[in-house]
Amino acid sequence: MKNNETLQKNVQDAIKWEPLLHAAEIGVTANDGVVTLTGIVDSYAKKSEAEDAAKKVAGVKAVVERIEVKYLGSIHKEDEEIAKEVLNAFKWNWKIPGEKITVKVEDGWVTLTGTINWNYQKDAAKNAIKNLLGVKGVTNSITIESDIHDAVEKKEIEDAIDRNWSVNNQDIQVKVSGSRVTLTGTVNSIYQKDEAQRMAWNAPGVWYVDNEIEIEYDYLLVD
């Protein structure tokens, strides 16, 4: 069983283990599985890395991310310049159908919209922005509409989940209705919940994934 103090230390250790975050001053609090991250970092990549590290810790049910990105005084980019760099990053990444994605930048915050065929393309678009200087955050509002109209195979999704070492021993159920997949069951971390969703999105013909998986973990609550 984990108490709040133990979970807090587990998340702190996970963050410190990441090479990008060795010297980062990131505060961590834990309350019944809800972890809050605070602090200031000098790049969006570090902000994203801290959030990802916290999500991988068993027992973390939700992450409240309040990390602020502040670049050094000598590093300043106008929104127009950031937008051009985002479009250029898309151009050189074969996974990203840049012509189908609209980019908006406001005070360093990038918003992506548009409709594409695969979820891996949506993930690739966000990841391509991580290391660009000047970016303070990303809202990925891209939607998925598959160009494959074959019936979604439930067993294929179940088999893919069984092959994934991080979730193959978890209690996950798959339901398919047309192009919509619903996931239910229980796992130990947000990372496992996200991995199951990623497996479902990889199936041909999927337009929607309703991830209703719950994160369950035993806690010993302390004041």
Side-chain angles (χ1 to χ4, degrees):
M1 296 178 70
K2 284 188 181 182
N3 58 30
N4 291 330
E5 185 178 351
T6 300
L7 185 60
Q8 177 189 36
K9 187 177 186 307
N10 288 166
V11 174
Q12 288 171 334
D13 290 343
I15 288 173
K16 289 176 182 177
W17 186 253
E18 297 297 330
L20 274 180
L21 304 174
H22 281 329
E25 294 294 332
I26 296 173
V28 179
T29 60
N31 184 17
D32 194 15
V34 178
V35 170
T36 301
L37 306 179
T38 57
I40 297 173
V41 294
D42 59 5
S43 73
Y44 174 69
K46 291 182 180 180
K47 175 185 171 97
S48 181
E49 193 83 1
E51 184 177 354
D52 289 344
K55 286 181 177 179
K56 292 177 182 177
V57 176
V60 174
K61 295 181 178 180
V63 176
V64 179
E65 194 270 285
R66 294 175 178 163
I67 299 171
E68 186 177 356
V69 178
K70 282 191 176 181
Y71 289 94
L72 298 175
S74 58
I75 300 174
H76 175 74
K77 291 195 175 184
E78 299 295 334
D79 290 342
E80 183 178 334
E81 185 179 1
I82 295 172
K84 288 180 180 178
E85 292 187 0
V86 170
L87 293 173
N88 193 52
F90 288 175
K91 179 181 178 181
W92 293 104
N93 190 322
W94 64 269
K95 295 180 182 179
I96 304 171
E99 72 283 356
K100 296 181 179 181
I101 300 173
T102 300
V103 177
K104 183 181 80 172
V105 183
E106 186 174 355
D107 192 25
W109 196 281
V110 180
T111 300
L112 306 178
T113 56
T115 302
I116 56 180
N117 300 134
W118 292 92
N119 191 66
Y120 79 84
Q121 297 170 325
K122 178 177 179 177
D123 289 342
K126 182 175 181 179
N127 290 333
I129 299 172
K130 271 186 182 180
N131 296 308
L132 297 181
L133 289 176
V135 174
K136 295 179 181 178
V138 179
T139 299
N140 195 349
S141 298
I142 297 171
T143 57
I144 309 296
E145 288 188 9
S146 176
D147 58 354
I148 297 174
H149 299 284
D150 296 337
V152 177
E153 294 292 338
K154 174 183 174 182
K155 189 175 185 307
E156 287 186 3
I157 298 174
E158 292 173 334
D159 289 346
I161 290 173
D162 286 340
R163 288 193 298 270
N164 188 304
W165 66 269
S166 66
V167 292
N168 61 7
N169 63 344
Q170 301 298 307
D171 177 26
I172 299 172
Q173 291 82 46
V174 179
K175 179 182 177 182
V176 173
S177 178
S179 58
R180 183 183 295 273
V181 176
T182 301
L183 303 176
T184 57
T186 58
V187 295
N188 293 327
S189 69
I190 299 174
Y191 173 76
Q192 291 174 327
K193 179 175 180 175
D194 289 348
E195 274 295 283
Q197 179 170 310
R198 188 174 68 84
M199 293 295 99
W201 271 119
N202 284 345
V206 174
W207 284 32
Y208 314 97
V209 176
D210 295 326
N211 193 346
E212 299 175 3
I213 295 173
E214 296 183 0
I215 299 167
E216 290 191 356
Y217 211 81
D218 291 328
Y219 291 92
L220 176 63
L221 299 183
V222 296
D223 294 333

